[in-house]
Amino acid sequence: MKQVDILVVGGSAAGIPAAITARRHHPEKSLLLIRKEDQVVIPCGIPYIFGTVGSPDNNLIPDIVLHNNGVDFIVDEAKKLDPIEKKVTLASGESVLYDKLLLATGSVPLVPPIPGIDKKNVYPVKKDVKYLKTLLDAMENTKDLVILGCGFIGVEFADECKKNRDINVTIVEMLDQCLQIAFGEEACRCCQEVESYLEEKGISIVTGTKLEEVLGDERVTAVKLSNGEKIKADLLIVGIGVRPNIDLAEKAGLAVNKGGIIVDTTMRTSDPNIFACGDCASKFSFFTGQTSGLRLASIATTEARIAGANLYEISRKNPGVVGVFSTALGNLTVAMVGMSEKGAKECGFDVVVGEAEAPDRHPGKMPGMSKLWVKLIFNKVNGELVGGVVRGGPSAGELINTISACIQNRMRASDIAIIQIGTHPAVTASPIVYQLVNAAETALEKTRL
Ligand SMILES: Cc1cc2nc3c(=O)[nH]c(=O)nc-3n(C[C@H](O)[C@H](O)[C@H](O)COP(=O)(O)OP(=O)(O)OC[C@H]3O[C@@H](n4cnc5c(N)ncnc54)[C@H](O)[C@@H]3O)c2cc1C
C-alpha cells in the first residue's frame, strides 16, 4: 500500500494545475497524481484534431509539464474512496493512503435520451485519445455529417470537419441562434456573423429545431427533426454539454448535487480533508451567488489554483464564476465575459452600456489589421463593469481577458476610462481610439458613473 501526503485524482485541466499548485505551496509534502488515461488530450483543442492539427497526437498535454514541476503520477483508475480510512483503492488493486485528497475527476458528455442515439457512428464528444482516433477514422469515410448542438463545440467541429473534406455538414440546434447560450441577446451581432461565416463555408445550420430520432438499422443513416424534416447522416457528433463526474465522491458519501461535488468558497468538500475543483465541482455565479452550470477549462484551472493552495491552510477564496468564452473561425473572433445586457436585466440589474469600434492596429493600413468592436455592460447603480462582448480578429481573444480582469476587480467605467494601456502600431489599436477605454467613455456619456 502506498502512502502520500497529497493525492490528486484526475490529470487534465483541473488535476494538473491543482497538483502543481500544491507542489509549489507545500514543497515538503509527498504528492501523487492518478489519472485514468495514458495520454491526456488538450480538451479545448479537440475540434482542431479534425482539421487544423490533424491528429490526436498533435493535441496532447505533454507529461513534461508534470515532470518539470516535480509531480509524480501513475496511470490507474480510482475505484473506491474511503474518507474514514483516508484511502483510495485503484483498479489495479493497489491502494493509496492520503492525508489530503484533491478530486479533479471532470465531466462526461451529456447524451440526450433520443431514440436511436446508441446506434453506430453516433459520437458524443469524449476527452479520450483512443476514442477520438476512432472518430477521426470514421470521419474519413463520411459523406454526410450532422452535428447536434450549435454552441462553441458545434461551430468549431463544423468548421474544422469541413476543412479539406468534400462532405455535407449540418448543425442542428434547438435554440433560435448559434452560440445563444453564451451570448444571450448579444448573439444578434456576433452570432449572425458566425452563422454567415459557416454558411459561406457551405455548412447548413438548422436552428429552432430539435433532433427527435436517429434513424438507421445498426448504424446511423439519417436524423429526424421536430419540423418533420429528415437529414441524411452517416456520422452524428453530439456536442450539447457535459455532466459532472461525481461517481467516486457520491459513493464515498460526500455531499453532491446535480451541479457536482458540493464545495465551499475554499474548494473544500463536505469532508475537510477532501477538496474538489474543475468540471466535477459545484459552481456559483460571481454576480448573483446563484448556482452556475458553466464548465470551462479556464474555470477549472482557477479553481485548481485555489484548491491546491488551500490544502493545509486557507489562503485563497473562490469569488465565483465570471464565465469568459471565446471562439475563432477563420479571421473572426467572438468573445464574451460576464453578463449579457439582457441577462443582467433579468437578474435585476439596471444597466448602461458603452460601445466602441476601431482598427486594432494604427494606422489601419498596418498588416494584420482587423476591426475590433467592444461592448461593455455596467451596473448603473454602482458603476461596476458586469459584462463585455468583443468581436474582431485574433486580438479579441486577449482583450476579453483584460475585460474579465476589470470585472473581477470590480472596476467602474470611470476607472476604465483612465486605465493606462500600452500601445504600438504593429500590435494594438491607437491609444486615441482604444476600444476598451472608449466603450467606457461612451457609457459615461450616458450617465455619470
Ligand atoms: C470539445 C471541447 C472543447 C472545449 N473548448 C473549451 C475552450 O475553448 N475553453 C475552455 O475554457 N473550455 C473548453 N472546454 C471545456 C473544458 O474542456 C473543460 O472545462 C475541462 O476539460 C475541465 O477540466 P477537468 O480537469 O475538470 O475535467 P476533465 O477534462 O474531464 O478531466 C478529468 C480527469 O480526471 C480523470 N479521471 C476521472 N475519473 C477518474 C478516476 N476515477 N480515476 C482516475 N482518473 C480519473 C480523467 O481521466 C481526466 O484526466 C471544451 C470542452 C470540450 C469537450
Side-chain angles (χ1 to χ4, degrees):
M1 191 179 310
K2 284 192 167 66
Q3 182 157 10
V4 290
D5 295 321
I6 302 168
L7 179 63
V8 180
V9 180
S12 182
I16 296 171
I20 292 173
T21 309
R23 167 54 67 237
R24 283 185 181 142
H25 284 250
H26 314 290
E28 72 294 353
K29 304 287 183 190
S30 58
L31 188 155
L32 180 68
L33 180 148
I34 299 168
R35 66 169 197 234
K36 269 198 295 200
E37 63 282 287
D38 221 13
Q39 295 176 299
V40 184
V41 69
I42 298 174
C44 313
I46 291 173
Y48 301 93
I49 290 171
F50 301 90
T52 307
V53 304
S55 142
D57 295 328
N58 294 333
N59 184 51
L60 299 174
I61 304 179
D63 289 337
I64 191 95
V65 176
L66 295 172
H67 294 307
N68 285 348
N69 285 283
V71 175
D72 292 331
F73 72 94
I74 54 172
V75 175
D76 208 328
E77 184 175 353
K79 282 286 191 192
K80 191 173 168 229
L81 161 61
D82 183 338
I84 310 287
E85 282 192 55
K86 298 173 88 174
K87 183 171 91 173
V88 171
T89 308
L90 308 180
S92 60
E94 175 98 67
S95 296
V96 187
L97 292 172
Y98 63 83
D99 184 26
K100 303 284 177 187
L101 176 65
L102 260 159
L103 293 175
T105 50
S107 59
V108 289
L110 272 178
V111 182
I114 295 171
I117 198 79
D118 52 354
K119 289 193 194 301
K120 275 196 185 149
N121 269 23
V122 177
Y123 284 86
V125 182
K126 291 187 190 168
K127 294 165 274 187
D128 176 313
V129 172
K130 282 187 198 129
Y131 178 87
L132 292 166
K133 282 184 177 160
T134 317
L135 174 53
L136 187 59
D137 289 343
M139 190 77 68
E140 300 319 329
N141 301 313
T142 292
K143 280 262 156 278
D144 299 288
L145 167 65
V146 173
I147 297 168
L148 176 58
C150 202
F152 288 105
I153 294 177
V155 299
E156 288 169 9
F157 257 97
D159 189 32
E160 291 296 312
C161 294
K162 187 77 181 165
K163 276 182 189 162
N164 309 319
R165 279 190 196 91
D166 181 21
I167 59 173
N168 302 313
V169 180
T170 308
I171 315 178
V172 179
E173 167 60 56
M174 68 176 186
L175 299 175
D176 293 334
Q177 264 187 317
C178 74
L179 299 178
Q180 199 172 319
I181 290 184
F183 281 83
E185 97 294 350
E186 266 79 29
C188 297
R189 179 154 186 175
C190 293
C191 303
Q192 271 165 17
E193 286 194 38
V194 168
E195 286 180 7
S196 305
Y197 170 92
L198 292 172
E199 279 159 2
E200 268 169 35
K201 297 278 164 193
I203 293 160
S204 308
I205 306 170
V206 185
T207 51
T209 310
K210 282 188 178 170
L211 195 155
E212 284 194 339
E213 195 176 347
V214 180
L215 305 171
D217 293 329
E218 266 202 355
R219 178 183 290 264
V220 54
T221 54
V223 294
K224 192 176 145 210
L225 308 183
S226 53
N227 61 9
E229 203 186 330
K230 284 182 189 164
I231 301 174
K232 238 174 126 187
D234 42 24
L235 183 65
L236 172 64
I237 292 175
V238 180
I240 57 163
V242 294
R243 67 172 170 80
N245 180 8
I246 56 171
D247 292 356
L248 190 67
E250 190 171 25
K251 285 183 192 143
L254 299 185
V256 298
N257 63 21
K258 268 193 188 165
I261 304 167
I262 296 174
V263 288
D264 62 17
T265 53
T266 68
M267 306 313 296
R268 197 159 36 189
T269 68
S270 53
D271 181 316
N273 293 308
I274 305 178
F275 292 69
C277 54
D279 279 10
C280 69
S282 65
K283 322 236 170 287
F284 64 96
S285 160
F286 174 86
F287 304 101
T288 63
Q290 285 173 354
T291 303
S292 166
L294 289 178
R295 296 279 182 273
L296 288 168
S298 50
I299 297 171
T301 52
T302 301
E303 290 179 352
R305 292 188 185 106
I306 297 168
N310 281 348
L311 293 173
Y312 289 91
E313 190 182 48
I314 301 302
S315 61
R316 291 180 174 172
K317 282 211 168 174
N318 184 0
V321 169
V322 172
V324 196
F325 308 86
S326 49
T327 193
L329 300 162
N331 197 41
L332 172 67
T333 302
V334 292
M336 165 94 202
V337 57
M339 292 197 276
S340 66
E341 189 179 347
K342 187 171 170 217
K345 284 178 184 160
E346 281 168 2
C347 286
F349 289 87
D350 189 7
V351 297
V352 58
V353 303
E355 295 181 47
E357 185 169 47
D360 66 354
R361 303 277 187 276
H362 58 292
K365 292 272 182 287
M366 286 294 277
M369 186 283 287
S370 302
K371 273 270 177 75
L372 188 70
W373 169 75
V374 173
K375 174 175 176 176
L376 299 178
I377 299 127
F378 294 94
N379 178 350
K380 217 174 187 176
V381 175
N382 59 14
E384 286 176 8
L385 183 63
V386 294
V389 191
V390 183
R391 190 199 119 278
S395 60
E398 285 304 343
L399 186 58
I400 203 71
N401 291 336
T402 306
I403 298 174
S404 176
C406 294
I407 292 176
Q408 290 172 66
N409 285 291
R410 303 190 185 280
M411 290 180 77
R412 297 151 49 99
S414 49
D415 302 318
I416 297 171
I418 55 165
I419 201 168
Q420 297 186 33
I421 37 131
T423 58
H424 183 272
V427 287
T428 72
S430 145
I432 298 166
V433 297
Y434 200 79
Q435 299 86 344
L436 174 66
V437 169
N438 277 292
E441 286 281 36
T442 58
L444 283 167
E445 261 172 43
K446 293 181 191 167
T447 172
R448 289 283 116 201
L449 292 171

